[in-house]
Amino acid sequence: MDLPFALAFVLLLTSCYAIDEDFSEELLLRPLPDGNVLAHFHFASTLPPVDHYGVHHRLFPKAIFQLVRKFRIKEMELSFTQGRWNYQRWGVGDPIAQLAAKPVGVELTASLDVPEAEVDSTWGNLTHALSGLFCASINFLESPTTFLEPWFSWRPEANWTGGGGAFDAPGVKRVVKGKKWSKSSRTRYGALPREAVCTENLTPWLKLLPCRDKAGLTTLLDRPTIYSGMYHSQRLIITSGDFDRDEEGTTLEQTLTVVLRKPAVSEGLSSKLQDWTLSGLFGSKLEGKCPLATTSSVYLELEESLAKHLAGDLSKETRINFVDNRVFSLSSAPSRVLASLSGSLLLEYEAGTHSELDLGVTWRAPVDWSPARGRFYTSRYLAGSGNARGSIVISFRANDGPSGDCYSPGIEAVEYVDIMILQMIPWYVRLYGHTLQVSLDGRNVEFWSVVRLMRFTPAEDRKAPAAVEIALRVSIATQAVTLTIQYDKGFLHIDEHPPDANRGFDLPSAVITFPRCRVFKQFQSDDVGHSHILAVVQVVDCFVFPSPSFVFALLLQSQRPMQIYSEVSLMQLATPDFSMPYNVITLTCTVLALYFGSLLNALRRRIGEEERESKEGKKAGLLSQKLKWLRNEKHMRVIKVILVVIIGVAVNHYLSSS
Amino acid sequence: MAGSTRLAIALSALAYILAGLPFWWKLTEVYRVPLPYREVEGFVTKQSSSSAARVHCQLQIVFFSKEETPDRDAKWSDRLEVVLRATREWSSSGFCEIEVAVTLDAKGLCLHKRGGDRAKPLWECGRVLDSLHSQDSTSIDESLKNYIGEDRAGKYTILVLLDGELSQGGGAEAVVGKYRHAWVVFPPSLLGNDEQLTRIISETAGVLLAGGKPATAVAKTMPLAADGSAILSFSLLNADPENWIFNWDFDSVESQYLSPVVDALAPVARLSVESQVLYYTPAAARSQWNADIRSHVIESKDLSFFVNANEWHLDTSAAAAGRSKVLHFAIYVPPVEECPLRIKLSSGRITSSASIDGFTSPGWGGVVIWNPPGCLVADNSTLRQRLNVNDLKTTMEVVVAQLRTLFGLPPVPPRRKAPKLSILCNQRTGFAEWELDLLLRRRVIADVNSTASTLASLLKLVESLPKMVIQQEIGVQVTTSLEAAEKAMDAGNASYQVIGNFSATAKAWAEEAFFHPSIMSLLHFPKEHQFAMYTPFFVPVLLHTVISVVKETMRYARKSSRK
């Protein structure tokens, strides 16, 4: 590092925190290859460090700030998702897909700055607080059977990129025993796949925005529209530097990603693409901006493979008519165009300058493009049948076509792919570690020839879930990788079943990380300003924070390892008959009563004598003589009436007293 | 005898079942900690019978004269006796057990009269008091504080200055200071009028001990959580940020105006302060344009709809755990179309032309309407302004007055004409020392009352649900609470701080026991369950047994009659 650069670096780091609060709102729209439209709302609130700014704010939501202070949250990510992100059609290897794709239900990851012994209890309190804040059952994550401590997958300090990382270190034992890796990890991860997401979760989320849904981009959020889309994911990301890196403040990012169904079929192109406008999608045009937002912009993103249809080489071609060209026409001209180095385009519209913005795309020619799909297509499924045992299979199949902006810095020729799997398995699924198998291209291979690192924490009944983290390294030429592990299904107590027990139990998604695969987009230098500085990751990380006008564009540039989530699987357990306890009681009581009755009779009755007596009985017995007057019809009727009255009174008395 | 064996068998089977019933009944019982029913009952009756607390107050009235007094000793002795009797009437209103000592401290004459405890030291006669002439009330207050010396909660002094030159206009005049003393300027020429003397002294004592209000006129509860804490949550509400956006320098406001108040109230309540700025928060009540005063006017009957629960997301604090109490103070900036906004009182009077109006809602907090000065609007862009400490001075004064109202004190100390009585304000904290003592006494009473009612209803609940498990912990909490409450009631001469701690502990534990999670979860356990469990066994078995007994008896009777 030469001296001027080092100086600049130091200066940047020292002046990295902002001096005032800031709020920005941005919306990114992207036509998807299958004709649907992706809308990604991104709201960011930043807060200078408490030491410099104090604890009273004008924009930053009080509730979040109090959460951060009380639970000492360093980082937290909470997502509410409905529907499944279609990786094959909507993309894997681009930053927006990375942000948007989340497992169904609720997912919470939190990194807390509390002593290690208190992490679990603080996590529990945090889930309760969040549950109250967002009207969701996040408090179910308090139970130690629902969350785990990731050892490798969320560790910022783990060096996945260059050589010398965990994969390559010679002395590292392959099966990690003990707590060597987890020493300083105060991160917890939990997921609730069952949680339904609806407006009652959105309203408190909107309440955190200074303009709520009264002005600006949020006015587009028409509830029926966004909940009838194909995919809906609402997230809350908190990063706070108040506890260790005191030169950074607190950032709250709120994102909402929806994939809206393609508009009703209109005449015209035979292609699956449909024309759309903002008002057609959301039911209203965009009017004005939130007066409190520093930045309020709408972006239209054209993916690389779509942008190629506009011009052969974007880096040379500078004069593309975006409003009207041979592929599509736009309803209004963008105020700015940003082109990434890889070739995708970002058309920017300022929400404030247009008094009324109704962005729309009209397709001129049938075009076909494919999203950045990543190296592998991943799926997870359960094999086997019956209520006793089965196996979990995670399979990776190589994709053809562009693998997106998957980038491996520092390595000249990429010959292999690293895959990191994190899987949390509930305790009632009893895994057999020895049945863990890997097959490459359909052939079983020796386990340790592929697996570089493994953590296997067995479950404890009713106390902790099983945690499996496996790091694989396979050759780039591999077409298919399959991991299987067998399990027995355990039995649950009758009161451990949820109300709709016959629906089955959800197995949380596996989190699959491609650590060498960094997802980012880079924009050309004159677009962002100082791209050579922005290219340096650390500085980019820092810069995302203070320069408000480009939060969004810079976010797209930040490097993060590619992460995907598998499907949520539904597992059937043996469901008991819930009336069983009462049946058992009744049956047992009947048997006992039967036994008692026959014993008593055996002790008491003499068959012969009774027969004799019944013969003699023709003569009236003593009792029957005394009750002779009962035989009288009239008396009998009176007694019946009295009996009915007594029973009635008794029942009435019982009912009124209870 | 033949047949009697079988009867014996049948009877013994029945006897076995009958003998087993108590054991079975015992086995179906759930764990219930024995709760101190009798003690709680005793405590409740004791607490309700004596309406006044047993917190002690000490009042000394000193007639001070530098000159020799014209009257004779005997006359003075009578006079002191009269004064002593007159001040007793306030003892119940001030929530305290009063102990009065009256002293005449004149040149060459020192007379004492007192009721109650003999052991307490008396006023020390003959100390020199610097001249109070040509001083204003505030500095007289300070000089007297130094002169009187000892200053602790529950000890009050009324100094009757027999000095004609101090009085303005020659009449009697009383001033209640910021600390724990008051002074009455009484010209010696008026000494013949005993009625006037006792009246002004007893009025002054009434203010000093009870805020001048009888106990019945005071709200029974304090706006505090069970543990004696409350959060003061300040929200600046920009009704419509399209026109103007205000934010504030709350850090300075807090340190300048609120911290002294919070510190002063510390013995009574643990208060913490939060703030936020909210936008798009229109009021729910409509106003009307009044052309005469060129303002928008809102009727006082509409004020109950002013707080817009749908749009004002004031939020309970996320930082406060459990059953906390939040007092909201909403500073409302009306939109341009409604500026200036004023309140029309129920008397028909429209509030003064000042830019600030406000109202309180008991137990909830207060709203202050802050009209931007001149209702300026920037031409076409949004006006943005940061309010500093000076802009908010009046607002914060209103807030402190509202806080006083919420705690049951008059918003500003009242003045009286006849007899002439004025009360000094504590400019810095808004609460005088004697007012804080009064609040503490009220809190102690409120705590003890609420402890009694909470414990009584808890025990009632426990009694009404015989199948509810009562855990050990609840028993401990009830006992702790009861002990603390009794200590608070019988504390006698203990310092106010100690009594306050006892009463707070009592209330906190009582609430803790009442809201114990194990009670909350087990409120419904119907009898039908038990019937469903036991009938399948008991009905067939009893049927067999009873029938066999009946049959055997009949048979036995028949046989024995045949013989």
Side-chain angles (χ1 to χ4, degrees):
Chain A
M1 199 184 279
D2 54 347
L3 191 63
F5 184 76
L7 270 179
F9 193 77
V10 168
L11 281 175
L12 278 168
L13 277 181
T14 49
S15 61
C16 243
Y17 63 87
I19 49 161
D20 195 9
E21 287 170 66
D22 181 74
F23 171 72
S24 70
E25 51 170 10
E26 277 151 306
L27 165 65
L28 181 133
L29 294 160
R30 182 205 282 177
L32 293 171
D34 58 359
N36 299 313
V37 181
L38 173 109
H40 178 83
F41 293 86
H42 199 112
F43 307 95
S45 281
T46 54
L47 190 65
V50 171
D51 297 346
H52 299 272
Y53 194 74
V55 293
H56 299 289
H57 317 122
R58 59 184 182 93
L59 290 174
F60 201 85
K62 185 174 84 172
I64 296 296
F65 181 73
Q66 287 176 339
L67 277 189
V68 171
R69 301 293 286 178
K70 185 169 183 188
F71 301 111
R72 303 184 63 83
I73 298 168
K74 279 203 289 194
E75 278 170 55
M76 193 192 91
E77 190 176 322
L78 173 68
S79 71
F80 297 87
T81 309
Q82 201 181 44
R84 206 169 75 204
W85 181 263
N86 191 328
Y87 284 105
Q88 287 299 90
R89 288 207 219 142
W90 302 338
V92 179
D94 73 280
I96 293 297
Q98 282 299 305
L99 268 175
K102 282 279 145 188
V104 177
V106 166
E107 188 204 46
L108 176 67
T109 316
S111 191
L112 307 167
D113 181 49
V114 291
E116 201 159 342
E118 292 169 24
V119 176
D120 286 350
S121 63
T122 313
W123 161 273
N125 294 339
L126 173 66
T127 59
H128 276 269
L130 288 173
S131 154
L133 199 59
F134 289 103
C135 302
S137 344
I138 307 173
N139 54 321
F140 288 159
L141 286 176
E142 185 198 16
S143 148
T145 57
T146 52
F147 68 89
L148 56 76
E149 177 192 346
W151 284 10
F152 317 123
S153 297
W154 263 273
R155 291 169 69 86
E157 66 266 42
N159 179 13
W160 297 115
T161 46
F167 285 95
D168 300 320
V172 174
K173 268 194 181 171
R174 281 161 153 193
V175 181
V176 181
K177 285 181 186 147
K179 289 251 167 177
K180 185 181 165 230
W181 275 85
S182 65
K183 220 172 198 170
S184 62
S185 163
R186 279 149 201 182
T187 304
R188 295 291 180 274
Y189 169 80
L192 290 175
R194 269 183 103 97
E195 185 73 16
V197 179
C198 202
T199 40
E200 80 248 25
N201 308 122
L202 182 69
T203 311
W205 184 85
L206 283 173
K207 239 164 70 177
L208 302 174
L209 300 170
C211 285
R212 301 204 302 286
D213 53 353
K214 300 292 174 200
L217 296 176
T218 41
T219 49
L220 292 176
L221 294 175
D222 173 44
R223 307 296 192 282
T225 312
I226 57 173
Y227 283 103
S228 62
M230 305 182 77
Y231 179 81
H232 171 96
S233 176
Q234 163 197 330
R235 300 202 312 163
L236 181 89
I237 307 164
I238 300 171
T239 341
S240 176
D242 274 337
F243 304 109
D244 44 5
R245 303 159 289 173
D246 62 352
E247 288 300 317
E248 279 181 47
T250 309
T251 314
L252 167 71
E253 284 172 73
Q254 289 173 261
T255 71
L256 177 75
T257 312
V258 281
V259 175
L260 298 165
R261 275 170 212 284
K262 50 183 150 187
V265 180
S266 61
E267 289 172 32
L269 301 170
S270 59
S271 148
K272 56 192 172 181
L273 294 175
Q274 295 296 330
D275 305 338
W276 55 265
T277 56
L278 266 187
S279 56
L281 288 174
F282 292 103
S284 63
K285 296 169 184 173
L286 181 62
E287 288 170 25
K289 55 179 260 186
C290 171
L292 301 152
T294 352
T295 317
S296 187
S297 351
V298 179
Y299 298 92
L300 179 68
E301 191 193 16
L302 304 173
E303 278 180 282
E304 172 189 345
S305 47
L306 171 63
K308 275 195 184 116
H309 288 281
L310 297 176
D313 187 356
L314 280 168
S315 54
K316 285 176 188 160
E317 190 71 59
T318 49
R319 297 190 183 280
I320 305 173
N321 184 354
F322 286 103
V323 180
D324 198 6
N325 57 44
R326 64 186 175 86
V327 181
F328 56 79
S329 66
L330 298 178
S331 59
S332 45
S335 55
R336 213 155 76 101
V337 177
L338 294 138
S340 88
L341 291 179
S342 64
S344 70
L345 292 171
L346 215 54
L347 316 185
E348 186 184 318
Y349 296 83
E350 301 259 346
T353 53
H354 299 75
S355 56
E356 216 174 56
L357 180 66
D358 189 13
L359 181 59
V361 177
T362 313
W363 298 102
R364 290 275 167 98
V367 281
D368 201 6
W369 76 96
S370 59
R373 277 191 185 135
R375 177 75 201 143
F376 285 109
Y377 168 64
T378 312
S379 78
R380 188 191 66 182
Y381 52 91
L382 301 178
S385 61
N387 278 339
R389 57 188 65 85
S391 52
I392 301 173
V393 184
I394 299 179
S395 82
F396 301 88
R397 266 174 294 133
N399 269 323
D400 41 352
S403 64
D405 291 330
C406 179
Y407 186 70
S408 303
I411 293 178
E412 308 277 297
V414 184
E415 287 162 357
Y416 43 79
V417 181
D418 286 330
I419 305 171
M420 175 89 224
I421 301 163
L422 167 69
Q423 173 73 72
M424 174 165 70
I425 306 277
W427 61 267
Y428 43 80
V429 180
R430 302 181 200 281
L431 297 175
Y432 289 111
H434 72 279
T435 61
L436 200 54
Q437 274 188 347
V438 187
S439 72
L440 295 181
D441 298 330
R443 281 172 288 104
N444 277 353
V445 293
E446 207 265 310
F447 187 70
W448 292 110
S449 68
V450 184
V451 174
R452 310 288 295 189
L453 202 65
M454 181 171 83
R455 168 227 183 166
F456 192 100
T457 313
E460 273 178 83
D461 279 7
R462 298 183 175 82
K463 280 189 192 143
V468 184
E469 280 180 274
I470 298 174
L472 296 170
R473 174 172 287 181
V474 295
S475 143
I476 194 94
T478 314
Q479 288 299 304
V481 186
T482 315
L483 252 108
T484 47
I485 186 164
Q486 292 179 11
Y487 61 83
D488 276 359
K489 295 178 184 177
F491 287 106
L492 289 176
H493 287 164
I494 194 158
D495 52 355
E496 284 166 341
H497 285 272
D500 53 344
N502 285 301
R503 181 183 164 273
F505 289 78
D506 296 279
L507 217 57
S509 297
V511 187
I512 293 143
T513 316
F514 296 91
R516 280 173 190 275
C517 201
R518 295 277 152 172
V519 175
F520 67 100
K521 288 199 172 172
Q522 228 168 10
F523 294 103
Q524 279 166 5
S525 56
D526 38 337
D527 292 330
V528 187
H530 311 280
S531 85
H532 59 282
I533 294 173
L534 299 182
V536 183
V537 183
Q538 294 91 326
V539 183
V540 170
D541 276 347
C542 180
F543 250 76
V544 170
F545 188 57
S547 58
S549 50
F550 298 112
V551 170
F552 204 78
L554 287 162
L555 190 85
L556 295 180
Q557 297 195 335
S558 68
Q559 290 193 2
R560 44 171 79 212
M562 193 163 96
Q563 212 164 50
I564 58 181
Y565 292 88
S566 77
E567 302 92 334
V568 168
S569 320
L570 200 58
M571 179 182 283
Q572 288 292 333
L573 292 188
T575 318
D577 172 10
F578 288 101
S579 63
M580 188 180 63
Y582 188 65
N583 296 347
V584 169
I585 289 172
T586 323
L587 188 69
T588 321
C589 290
T590 313
V591 169
L592 282 176
L594 218 65
Y595 167 74
F596 180 83
S598 31
L599 189 72
L600 197 65
N601 281 342
L603 283 172
R604 181 179 73 81
R605 295 178 78 174
R606 302 286 185 277
I607 304 294
E609 190 183 344
E610 272 177 27
E611 275 175 2
R612 232 183 304 130
E613 278 180 9
S614 69
K615 278 175 201 160
E616 288 169 18
K618 304 260 163 73
K619 307 167 204 167
L622 179 76
L623 197 67
S624 53
Q625 267 176 354
K626 282 190 176 166
L627 296 176
K628 199 175 181 180
W629 60 281
L630 268 182
R631 303 268 164 81
N632 186 326
E633 189 88 349
K634 212 167 127 193
H635 289 167
M636 198 63 193
R637 202 172 296 154
V638 171
I639 285 180
K640 273 182 186 167
V641 168
I642 292 174
L643 266 178
V644 166
V645 168
I646 289 174
I647 290 172
V649 167
V651 166
N652 189 34
H653 178 75
Y654 168 70
L655 287 179
S656 59
S657 67
S658 61
Chain B
M1 196 177 119
S4 64
T5 329
R6 280 182 261 166
L7 180 62
I9 288 171
L11 283 175
S12 64
L14 186 66
Y16 176 74
I17 289 175
L18 290 180
L21 273 178
F23 287 103
W24 165 76
W25 188 247
K26 183 78 191 158
L27 287 176
T28 61
E29 267 183 12
V30 291
Y31 179 73
R32 281 160 80 87
V33 142
L35 293 176
Y37 288 94
R38 195 171 306 152
E39 285 85 343
V40 169
E41 214 166 276
F43 172 69
V44 170
T45 43
K46 181 168 135 198
Q47 174 268 333
S48 57
S49 64
S50 57
S51 59
R54 308 182 71 77
V55 183
H56 275 242
C57 300
Q58 214 183 329
L59 176 68
Q60 56 184 10
I61 301 169
V62 180
F63 290 86
F64 184 85
S65 176
K66 281 183 184 170
E67 320 293 321
E68 282 179 22
T69 57
D71 295 327
R72 285 174 297 111
D73 292 9
K75 185 125 198 227
W76 268 112
S77 183
D78 289 347
R79 195 174 278 149
L80 297 189
E81 196 64 46
V82 170
V83 168
L84 191 63
R85 252 180 285 130
T87 44
R88 285 222 182 104
E89 68 177 274
W90 281 103
S91 58
S92 62
S93 332
F95 299 110
C96 63
E97 192 94 321
I98 200 166
E99 209 169 83
V100 192
V102 192
T103 305
L104 172 68
D105 181 4
K107 193 174 183 185
L109 187 61
C110 184
L111 268 180
H112 295 293
K113 283 275 174 199
R114 61 176 162 191
D117 195 357
R118 304 265 148 198
K120 290 269 167 62
L122 284 165
W123 177 260
E124 217 178 292
C125 289
R127 284 190 295 153
V128 180
L129 174 63
D130 294 336
S131 169
L132 299 172
H133 294 265
S134 72
Q135 286 190 22
D136 61 353
S137 307
T138 320
S139 42
I140 292 180
D141 194 30
E142 298 293 336
S143 329
L144 288 183
K145 182 181 191 288
N146 293 334
Y147 179 64
I148 292 166
E150 189 196 4
D151 183 46
R152 64 175 169 84
K155 184 169 188 263
Y156 307 98
T157 312
I158 298 176
L159 212 56
V160 185
L161 302 167
L162 299 169
D163 190 338
E165 289 164 48
L166 271 174
S167 128
Q168 292 156 350
E173 189 186 345
V175 183
V176 179
K178 303 186 289 203
Y179 303 100
R180 295 187 175 95
H181 60 86
W183 68 96
V184 179
V185 178
F186 203 83
S189 54
L190 294 174
L191 266 179
N193 190 345
D194 271 2
E195 197 202 338
Q196 196 189 355
L197 181 69
T198 47
R199 183 149 170 246
I200 195 166
I201 289 177
S202 80
E203 290 277 325
T204 314
V207 168
L208 205 53
L209 290 170
K213 267 193 199 171
T216 45
V218 177
K220 290 277 181 290
T221 51
M222 291 242 156
L224 296 174
D227 59 347
S229 67
I231 296 165
L232 308 182
S233 166
F234 290 85
S235 309
L236 179 64
L237 304 174
N238 285 284
D240 186 1
E242 305 285 339
N243 317 125
W244 46 42
I245 297 173
F246 289 95
N247 69 70
W248 54 8
D249 182 10
F250 198 82
D251 274 317
S252 325
V253 170
E254 188 188 0
S255 59
Q256 195 153 339
Y257 297 117
L258 296 172
S259 300
V261 180
V262 169
D263 291 345
L265 278 170
V268 182
R270 271 187 292 118
L271 301 178
S272 51
V273 175
E274 298 176 354
S275 85
Q276 61 182 339
V277 185
L278 295 175
Y279 308 90
Y280 293 102
T281 51
R286 296 270 101 223
S287 64
Q288 275 170 347
W289 172 250
N290 184 328
D292 296 345
I293 51 164
R294 305 197 56 73
S295 310
H296 297 265
V297 174
I298 194 158
E299 301 270 339
S300 65
K301 65 175 162 52
D302 291 337
L303 286 181
S304 44
F305 305 105
F306 193 86
V307 173
N308 188 344
N310 289 334
E311 306 284 359
W312 295 17
H313 295 289
L314 300 176
D315 274 337
T316 44
S317 173
R323 301 175 291 281
S324 55
K325 175 77 193 172
V326 183
L327 290 177
H328 294 286
F329 291 95
I331 320 294
Y332 177 80
V333 184
V336 159
E337 308 87 65
E338 274 198 313
C339 185
L341 184 64
R342 299 216 188 121
I343 298 173
K344 186 177 180 183
L345 302 177
S346 50
S347 61
R349 196 168 64 85
I350 294 172
T351 45
S352 62
S353 58
S355 60
I356 290 166
D357 270 344
F359 61 94
T360 53
S361 163
W364 182 84
V367 174
V368 182
I369 299 171
W370 188 85
N371 292 308
C375 292
L376 306 158
V377 197
D379 294 335
N380 43 19
S381 63
T382 317
L383 173 75
R384 284 163 202 269
Q385 200 183 330
R386 187 173 171 86
L387 304 177
N388 60 28
V389 182
N390 295 331
D391 298 328
L392 290 165
K393 184 169 184 293
T394 335
T395 313
M396 284 302 141
E397 282 166 7
V398 175
V399 164
V400 172
Q402 289 183 337
L403 190 64
R404 286 174 57 98
T405 318
L406 292 171
F407 274 94
L409 294 173
V412 282
R415 278 170 188 281
R416 291 183 202 189
K417 288 263 162 64
K420 204 173 168 197
L421 175 72
S422 53
I423 300 171
L424 290 185
C425 278
N426 191 335
Q427 295 290 349
R428 213 172 68 84
T429 66
F431 290 86
E433 304 270 334
W434 56 268
E435 283 176 322
L436 292 171
D437 288 356
L438 176 65
L439 287 181
L440 185 71
R441 287 199 297 270
R442 280 188 195 163
R443 204 203 78 197
V444 168
I445 298 304
D447 284 357
V448 171
N449 285 348
S450 106
T451 307
S453 67
T454 310
L455 288 182
S457 33
L458 174 68
L459 294 192
K460 206 171 151 196
L461 177 80
V462 167
E463 265 182 321
S464 69
L465 292 168
K467 287 289 158 206
M468 187 167 69
V469 180
I470 307 293
Q471 292 182 353
Q472 181 82 44
E473 212 181 351
I474 297 177
V476 174
Q477 286 167 345
V478 169
T479 326
T480 320
S481 165
L482 194 65
E483 274 171 14
E486 288 192 328
K487 272 185 197 157
M489 273 183 85
D490 302 334
N493 287 328
S495 79
Y496 275 27
Q497 196 193 349
V498 172
I499 298 175
N501 285 346
F502 277 137
S503 72
T505 318
K507 188 181 178 191
W509 282 115
E511 298 275 320
E512 202 65 30
F514 192 81
F515 290 102
H516 198 275
S518 75
I519 290 187
M520 308 294 277
S521 63
L522 248 173
L523 281 179
H524 186 67
F525 189 67
K527 281 179 188 161
E528 285 80 358
H529 276 204
Q530 304 213 326
F531 275 95
M533 290 293 140
Y534 296 120
T535 39
F537 181 68
F538 279 88
V539 169
V541 164
L542 277 173
L543 212 66
H544 272 296
T545 324
V546 170
I547 286 175
S548 71
V549 167
V550 168
K551 277 196 166 175
E552 289 304 320
T553 323
M554 275 166 67
R555 204 180 54 86
Y556 184 73
R558 202 162 52 223
K559 276 200 167 172
S560 51
S561 74
R562 217 181 283 165
K563 268 174 195 166

